[in-house]
């Protein structure tokens, strides 16, 4: 038996593949296009492992996907592949439509053809698990109840609209063709291998290099944070025991404002990598005293005064257009039906994440290459 994972060189997919192979012997066929967000270094931990078969390719390539399915005969397909960054979808939605809608459609077609030709137990046990997001439900007001599986779809960004369309196709393939699908909608993940265009890794890396920590608008937007390894354990449970045709919400019960998140991050860094300009031992960047950094690397407000806490790097910048105010996930169905609970609180998960970034500076250096720097210049200017 084996499983086919798509997007397994990205942030969540790679964590899933690493955890899967650490816990089970079942091989993984990993199909990933290696866009800017896909990184084989994320999979260094399974390099040379015969149970991991990596194939570079597009979920929309029906010939390739058909061949992989017929050759490896997986018992499940787990679809992580997507364009995932909201800000990028605002600058250029086209890739989001292409992968998250058209790509999902062609993947479903390939899987339907494969599953349709299966027989007996192989057909009975086959599953297509589609990984989606809480953003399809739109934005909550301050006191509204958290999103449940029956909340209305009200996507507000090109990204969430493309994910919503993908979800609808998955649902339709179950209702129309009987394809045995499962859908998960989860909240904001964070943890190791998170690409530093997203809030938490961006702020860790900016803090360590003495750059501004950009907070959109007033910073009071709320997200529900989920440690990536808790997300992976939930997906394994849904795959093993989820009811066919059902959707499951996955969240960390950790609603925080963005400002809270960044301030907590700063406090952890103050403890683990303290700034100490008075003694000349501050460690912003590669062990340099922050006062020795060029003024261009510091926000204006701190360019002329030495830093004593990372919080002084927090800088309010222009808001994201159409920025959703609040997401919150009610994960009680998953708890009730499958007994899942997240293992990490926000504080323990965030600390683990910061420790991981501090310990993996060569991963960071390789990820923050030319293409990434061009994105940062475009999004944040100077
Ligand atoms: P990511 O951007 O880090 O990784 C996406 C991966 O998909 C990359 O490896 C990329 O190369 C690959 N990919 C992109 N287009 C492809 C294509 N056409 N064919 C094959 N591979 C392709 O994303 P992530 O944060 O790991 O998210 C994974 C999934 O989880 C996505 O579907 C996303 O919508 C969903 N999700 C993410 C979060 C989050 O907080 N990161 C939260 C909820 C849901
Ligand atoms: O909710 C699930 C979603 O979480 C996933 O579906 C997406 O794939 C994932 O990217 C994430 O989307 P967000 O837009 O919530 O994540 P991001 O890290 O981009 O932003 C988190 C919050 O922080 C959001 O309110 C915007 C804000 N933000 C983000 C960046 C990059 C800032 O204030 N400053 C920033 O520089």
């Amino acid at each position: 038996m084996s499983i086919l994972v798509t997007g397994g060189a990205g942030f969540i997919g790679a964590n899933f593949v690493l955890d899967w192979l650490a816990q089970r012997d079942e091989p993984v066929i990993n199909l990933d296009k290696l866009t800017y967000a896909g990184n084989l270094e994320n999979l260094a931990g399974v390099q040379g492992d015969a149970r991991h078969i990596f194939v570079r390719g597009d979920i929309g390539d029906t010939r390739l996907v058909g061949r992989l399915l017929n050759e490896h005969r997986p018992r499940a397909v787990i679809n992580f592949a997507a364009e995932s960054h909201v800000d990028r979808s605002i600058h250029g939605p086209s890739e989001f439509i292409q992968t998250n809608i058209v790509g999902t459609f062609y993947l479903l077609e390939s899987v339907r053809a494969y599953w349709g030709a299966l027989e007996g137990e192989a057909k009975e046990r086959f599953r297509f698990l589609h990984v989606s997001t809480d953003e399809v439900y739109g934005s909550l007001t301050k006191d509204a109840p958290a999103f449940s599986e029956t909340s209305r779809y009200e996507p507000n960004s090109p990204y969430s609209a493309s994910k919503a369309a993908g979800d609808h196709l998955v649902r339709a393939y179950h209702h129309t063709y009987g394809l045995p699908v499962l859908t998960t909608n989860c909240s904001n993940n964070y943890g190791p291998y998170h690409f530093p265009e997203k809030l938490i890794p961006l702020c860790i890396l900016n803090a360590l290099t003495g750059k501004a920590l950009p907070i959109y608008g007033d910073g009071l937007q709320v997200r529900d944070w989920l440690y990536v390894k808790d997300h992976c354990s939930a997906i394994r449970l849904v795959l093993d025991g989820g009811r066919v045709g059902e959707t499951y919400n996955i969240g960390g019960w950790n609603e925080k404002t963005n400002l809270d998140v960044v301030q907590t991050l700063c406090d952890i860094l103050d403890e683990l990598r303290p700034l100490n300009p008075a003694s000349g031992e501050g460690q912003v960047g590669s062990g340099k005293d922050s006062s020795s950094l060029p003024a261009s690397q510091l926000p204006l407000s701190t360019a002329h005064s030495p830093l004593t806490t990372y919080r002084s790097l927090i800088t309010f910048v222009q808001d994201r257009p159409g920025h959703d105010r609040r997401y919150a996930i009610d994960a009680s169905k998953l708890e009730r039906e499958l007994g899942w609970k997240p293992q990490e609180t926000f504080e323990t998960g965030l600390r683990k994440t910061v420790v991981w970034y501090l310990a993996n500076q060569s991963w960071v250096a390789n990820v923050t290459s030319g293409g990434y720097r061009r994105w940062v210049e475009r999004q944040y200017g100077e």
Side-chain angles (χ1 to χ4, degrees):
M1 289 207 293
S2 63
I3 59 167
L4 189 149
V5 164
T6 73
F11 163 47
I12 305 175
N15 274 287
F16 181 83
V17 169
L18 295 174
D19 287 2
W20 180 275
L21 291 175
Q23 296 178 17
R24 303 185 182 194
D25 275 334
E26 194 175 359
V28 177
I29 298 99
N30 184 350
L31 172 67
D32 195 295
K33 190 177 172 184
L34 294 182
T35 66
Y36 78 93
N39 180 357
L40 286 178
E41 246 187 286
N42 297 354
L43 297 160
V46 290
Q47 201 180 9
D49 187 329
R51 298 169 305 159
H52 178 238
I53 299 159
F54 182 82
V55 180
R56 184 175 191 183
D58 195 313
I59 54 168
D61 182 343
T62 48
R63 269 179 54 182
L64 172 66
V65 177
R67 182 172 66 71
L68 289 177
L69 290 169
N70 288 314
E71 228 174 80
H72 296 283
R73 323 287 303 161
R75 66 156 175 116
V77 172
I78 305 174
N79 184 29
F80 291 97
E83 287 296 330
S84 69
H85 190 33
V86 175
D87 293 321
R88 285 186 193 254
S89 84
I90 295 167
H91 285 288
S94 152
E95 283 301 312
F96 290 73
I97 306 306
Q98 209 49 47
T99 285
N100 302 356
I101 306 178
V102 181
T104 301
F105 160 67
Y106 281 119
L107 179 64
L108 283 164
E109 279 293 87
S110 304
V111 171
R112 180 165 77 94
Y114 166 69
W115 171 77
L118 291 176
E119 285 175 356
E121 207 204 319
K123 186 164 194 168
E124 195 59 35
R125 72 166 178 235
F126 182 82
R127 297 287 182 271
F128 178 87
L129 192 154
H130 179 64
V131 178
S132 189
T133 170
D134 58 2
E135 299 204 12
V136 297
Y137 300 124
S139 185
L140 291 168
T141 55
K142 196 166 176 286
D143 300 314
F147 298 129
S148 76
E149 287 79 0
T150 54
S151 295
R152 211 165 72 176
Y153 270 41
E154 290 181 344
N156 289 322
S157 72
Y159 162 70
S160 53
S162 69
K163 289 296 289 185
D167 293 8
H168 289 325
L169 284 169
V170 170
R171 177 188 160 90
Y173 271 62
H174 173 63
H175 280 265
T176 306
Y177 305 114
L179 191 71
V181 308
L182 298 157
T183 299
T184 56
N185 294 83
C186 77
S187 60
N188 283 60
N189 284 222
Y190 66 101
Y193 305 108
H194 205 180
F195 191 75
E197 63 190 352
K198 311 279 167 64
L199 180 70
I200 289 183
L202 179 91
C203 286
I204 297 175
L205 301 196
N206 277 14
L208 291 174
T209 47
K211 295 189 186 125
L213 309 182
I215 303 279
Y216 296 161
D218 62 8
L220 299 181
Q221 306 82 3
V222 172
R223 297 291 182 268
D224 169 11
W225 294 93
L226 173 67
Y227 190 62
V228 64
K229 300 212 173 278
D230 281 329
H231 184 195
C232 294
S233 76
I235 290 177
R236 291 193 299 272
L237 270 185
V238 172
L239 184 65
D240 290 344
R243 286 183 292 132
V244 165
E246 290 289 315
T247 66
Y248 293 89
N249 281 356
I250 311 174
W253 304 105
N254 283 314
E255 280 189 62
K256 306 274 175 206
T257 66
N258 294 336
L259 194 56
D260 259 357
V261 168
V262 176
Q263 285 174 340
T264 310
L265 194 67
C266 289
D267 298 346
I268 295 175
L269 279 169
D270 281 340
E271 188 193 323
L272 298 181
R273 190 58 73 92
L275 295 158
N276 191 6
S279 66
E281 289 172 6
Q283 293 181 51
V284 162
S286 48
K288 283 192 224 158
D289 184 330
S290 61
S291 56
S292 70
L293 284 171
S296 62
Q297 284 189 24
L298 295 172
L300 281 180
S301 56
T302 58
H304 302 293
S305 57
L307 296 180
T308 54
T309 160
Y310 289 96
R311 283 192 183 210
S312 6
L313 293 169
I314 290 175
T315 306
F316 291 89
V317 300
Q318 192 180 359
D319 207 351
R320 171 185 281 175
H323 198 171
D324 284 337
R325 196 66 182 164
R326 174 175 167 240
Y327 305 142
I329 278 276
D330 175 351
S332 52
K333 176 176 173 183
L334 187 57
E335 266 188 42
R336 203 173 52 246
E337 290 192 13
L338 298 172
W340 177 84
K341 266 194 188 354
Q343 297 300 302
E344 302 293 341
T345 63
F346 184 65
E347 286 66 27
T348 60
L350 191 60
R351 184 171 288 268
K352 281 188 179 174
T353 305
V354 174
V355 167
W356 187 88
Y357 277 87
L358 289 173
N360 286 276
Q361 287 294 308
S362 70
W363 180 91
V364 168
N366 291 340
V367 156
T368 49
S369 63
Y372 170 76
R373 277 199 293 273
R374 277 195 296 282
W375 160 253
V376 171
E377 274 155 29
R378 178 174 184 179
Q379 173 70 0
Y380 302 99
E382 274 305 294

